[in-house]
Amino acid sequence: MRTQMATEAGRATAPSEDRALVGPNLLAVLDGVTAKEENGCEHGVGWFADQLAAELLRFAHLGPAPALAEAIKQTRELHSGSCDLDHPDSPSATVGLVQIKDDVLRYLVLGDATVVVDTKRELHVVSDTSTNRTAGANAGDVEHALTGEIPLQDVKRVAILSDGAARAVDLFNLFDWPKALELMTANGPDDLIRKMRAVEKEDAKTVDWPRKKVSDDATVVYLER
């Protein structure tokens, strides 16, 4: 299997709040939810995403949902004594992850991250833009994640994208998902981000494609068998 990763901050003046995780049996993209100035936490979204990613890797031997639930619990413990984790704007992250174990590919999506699995029979595109649920201080939110599993022998390619990268397809319609995968197969996931940035630059006033952010943090993890 070959794994590639590409990430780029949405602005040169601010660090990315996306995180990519590539472990022995678990791949993930975490997209830190941009926090308001007053959010009850002294650490910040980037710190939260870093800790959550590290804890996910530590619990990668569990299934996707239990691993994320444990990662949330452990991250909460790291700053529960100094931060107000009941604050409605406490740091959180959307999560898209894939686990390969026992000849099965299992996926989980919480929030507007996107997991694309190309199989011998069909293309699975999994994202949830209808919910405000994210991985924050409450492990119970994992119950709202979209999950599934696919026999590994049927899988050809997998892509995990933050919403800032998925907008290349979902917002700008530069290509459909099959063509996006072909592009990443040929040129790597960084080419998808590069082409999207060119469109964002051309529409810097957000006239042709109305959006809240001119450019958003964009991250892709791509796996090809």
Side-chain angles (χ1 to χ4, degrees), residues 31-34 88-95 109-113 127-138 141-142 144-145 163 212:
D31 180 359
V33 178
T34 301
D89 295 314
S90 180
S92 66
T94 66
V95 179
V109 173
L110 184 59
D112 60 9
S127 184
D128 190 359
T129 59
S130 65
T131 179
N132 292 323
R133 300 283 184 177
T134 53
N138 183 5
D141 287 338
V142 176
H144 299 274
D163 69 323
K212 293 181 179 179

Side-chain angles (χ1 to χ4, degrees), residues 26 56 59 62-73 97 99 106-110 139 141-148:
L26 187 143
L56 260 178
F59 290 101
L62 302 176
L68 181 55
E70 287 298 327
I72 291 172
K73 291 176 184 177
L97 70 84
Q99 182 192 61
R106 297 178 175 85
Y107 63 80
L108 178 149
V109 173
L110 184 59
D141 287 338
V142 176
E143 297 176 3
H144 299 274
L146 304 178
T147 60

Side-chain angles (χ1 to χ4, degrees), residues 7 58 63 66 69 72 99 112 125 163 176 194-195 217 224:
T7 186
R58 189 156 73 96
I72 291 172
Q99 182 192 61
D112 60 9
V125 181
D163 69 323
D176 58 17
R194 185 164 46 246
K195 286 180 167 52
D217 299 337
E224 181 182 6

Side-chain angles (χ1 to χ4, degrees), residues 5 10 31 45 54 57 86 120 136 143 157 163 173 178 188 203 206:
M5 185 270 288
D31 180 359
V45 176
L57 187 59
D86 293 323
K120 296 175 182 178
E143 297 176 3
R157 297 175 291 196
D163 69 323
N173 299 313
D203 186 40
T206 70

